[in-house]
Amino acid sequence: MTGTSAPTETDVVVLGGGVVGSACAWALARSGSRVVVADGDPARGAWAAAAGMLAPGTELRHGGEQLHMLSLSAAEAFADYLALVGADSGRETGHRSTGSLALAADVDDRAVLDDVLALQHALGLRAERLGARACRRLEPYLDPGVAGGVLVQDDHQVDPRRLVEALRLAGARRGVQTVTSDGAVLVEDGRAAGVTLADGSVVRASYVVVAAGAWSGEVGVPESARPPVRPVKGQVVRMRMPAGEPLLTRVLRATVRGRSLYLVPRADGELVAGATTEDKGFDHAVTAGAVHDLLHDTAAVLPGTSECELVETRARSRPGTPDDLPVVGATDVPGLVLAAGHGRNGVLLSGLTAEAVVAAVRGDPLPPAMDVAAPDRFSSSSPADARPVLQEVR
């Protein structure tokens, strides 16, 4: 059921219908729970602008080892997760095992890549240093000035829009009911008792899962359990490569004039370029400067894209946390479970998060990889003062 009407009671209400919320709802229904999803505008979530890189290898940076290990666990289980979603939905999700190529534009960039490569090898990743000619053999349309790169074999990609569509269909086939309404956590006698919808009606439930992305701190969570999540703006552009002429075959990462860039080619000819990172609150305006920079930087590494059709520009808010790790698990409010703060990794972490949420509702131990995401790690800090760690700014 999709619409504005809602049952008066259920087992679990999930606040948020993006990629994480939809994954949690489907997994909970698959485990036997009656589930209602409440979201006034699911398309406002970060997933609608996400490129869908499943790339713990090329995301790795010094100081980010905990996030890397969490992401690696999610990546290792992702194919099985997609297989289950596909079996329940009958839909493809655009999954491709293409690997990623991180480029060095000059000698300084090569030094940075070598440093990251040493860390990748220390953590057991399959990563290979390539010279300029080897990079262009893999991707012939690269700019001739590229100085070299690092190939990470095990990075994957998925189309987030197709994944969310499949998750919603899979959930509906398992009995998930979707209500087009914002909601707030209802607390009675010290425990989560359901949600209050925008029209004042109440859906009572034994458990409430907060998976509202960047809005997860704005949905009535009691202060003691409120996740320190805040919006981090990102802008992307989508292009169409010339028919029959794939300018790029694998995920590409580069730094151009100090700005980070990624390019994600789809099998259907779409090319996604992103992404900016801006500490601007809930601001979803697409700016001319960001689009200019993304197109300019894309053409600098892949000159042929200047002839691509520009099909979309979009801005969305990622849910950032102070340590760049998500907030997943049961809270000190009985019946209240968090699935928030996934930052740039919501698509990759959606399956593992869903598994953890099912465990939290059942009272079972969470997957060990989720230990770093425990909600109580922020208990001594003030959510109002929390700031995400911004890795790049445009």
Side-chain angles (χ1 to χ4, degrees):
M1 179 186 81
T2 301
T4 56
S5 59
T8 57
E9 63 88 23
T10 190
D11 296 328
V12 186
V13 177
V14 178
L15 282 175
V19 65
V20 172
S22 295
C24 291
W26 161 73
L28 286 162
R30 198 168 187 276
S31 74
S33 294
R34 296 175 300 159
V35 183
V36 171
V37 173
D39 195 325
D41 182 11
R44 66 188 166 188
W47 66 270
M53 294 175 294
L54 313 175
T58 48
E59 288 277 359
L60 179 60
R61 295 294 182 270
H62 285 286
E65 288 84 356
Q66 285 186 317
L67 177 60
H68 168 73
M69 298 309 295
L70 175 61
S71 298
L72 193 60
S73 294
E76 289 171 347
F78 208 87
D80 291 339
Y81 162 54
L82 288 185
L84 292 174
V85 174
D88 275 4
S89 68
R91 297 293 178 89
E92 295 291 332
T93 58
H95 182 240
R96 301 179 72 197
S97 302
T98 58
S100 295
L101 179 62
L103 292 181
D106 53 33
V107 174
D108 290 338
D109 286 340
R110 281 193 305 191
V112 172
L113 283 183
D114 285 342
D115 187 45
V116 174
L117 180 62
L119 180 59
Q120 291 167 333
H121 285 166
L123 293 174
L125 292 177
R126 290 200 303 158
E128 179 185 359
R129 182 78 166 85
L130 299 179
R133 290 182 180 179
C135 288
R136 285 193 291 275
R137 280 196 296 269
L138 289 177
E139 299 294 347
Y141 291 97
L142 290 176
D143 185 88
V146 167
V150 170
L151 177 65
V152 180
Q153 302 278 13
D154 296 326
D155 283 356
H156 297 231
Q157 62 161 291
V158 71
D159 186 333
R161 296 178 182 182
R162 294 172 69 179
L163 175 59
V164 170
E165 180 183 9
L167 283 166
R168 289 173 178 169
L169 181 56
R173 289 181 174 178
R174 290 280 181 175
V176 174
Q177 301 180 63
T178 300
V179 181
T180 308
S181 174
D182 290 324
V185 180
L186 173 67
V187 177
E188 292 180 345
D189 298 324
R191 72 164 289 127
V195 301
T196 302
L197 301 177
D199 65 0
S201 62
V202 171
V203 182
R204 295 193 172 274
S206 300
Y207 290 90
V208 176
V209 176
V210 174
W215 290 265
S216 293
E218 314 288 324
V219 293
V221 176
E223 185 174 355
S224 66
R226 191 173 304 146
V229 174
R230 62 197 299 271
V232 181
K233 181 180 179 180
Q235 301 187 53
V236 300
V237 301
R238 294 172 187 266
M239 294 167 270
R240 179 71 54 188
M241 292 183 284
E245 187 180 8
L247 299 177
L248 190 66
T249 62
R250 54 180 50 76
V251 173
L252 194 69
R253 291 178 179 270
T255 302
V256 181
R257 294 176 175 82
R259 295 188 294 255
S260 295
L261 173 74
Y262 64 69
L263 298 173
V264 182
R266 305 267 190 244
D268 64 0
E270 183 180 69
L271 181 65
V272 184
T276 72
T277 299
E278 305 165 69
D279 190 10
K280 290 191 173 181
F282 289 106
D283 174 8
H284 291 173
V286 176
T287 62
V291 173
H292 170 273
D293 288 347
L294 286 169
L295 294 176
H296 178 274
D297 295 350
T298 296
V301 297
L302 203 63
T305 54
S306 60
E307 299 299 321
C308 288
E309 177 189 1
L310 180 63
V311 296
E312 182 183 295
T313 61
R314 187 165 296 206
R316 285 294 184 268
S317 296
R318 306 183 191 95
T321 64
D323 57 7
D324 287 331
L325 290 162
V327 186
V328 180
T331 69
D332 63 0
V333 177
L336 181 63
V337 177
L338 299 179
H342 292 77
R344 300 163 60 93
N345 299 287
V347 174
L348 173 59
L349 297 178
S350 59
L352 186 60
T353 296
E355 180 184 346
V357 165
V358 170
V361 168
R362 287 179 166 179
D364 296 335
L366 271 60
M370 275 294 177
D371 289 347
V372 297
D376 61 4
R377 73 185 190 276
F378 294 115
S379 59
S380 61
S381 62
S382 170
D385 294 333
R387 293 292 184 271
V389 178
L390 300 183
Q391 296 180 343
E392 60 210 55
V393 178
R394 288 184 188 260

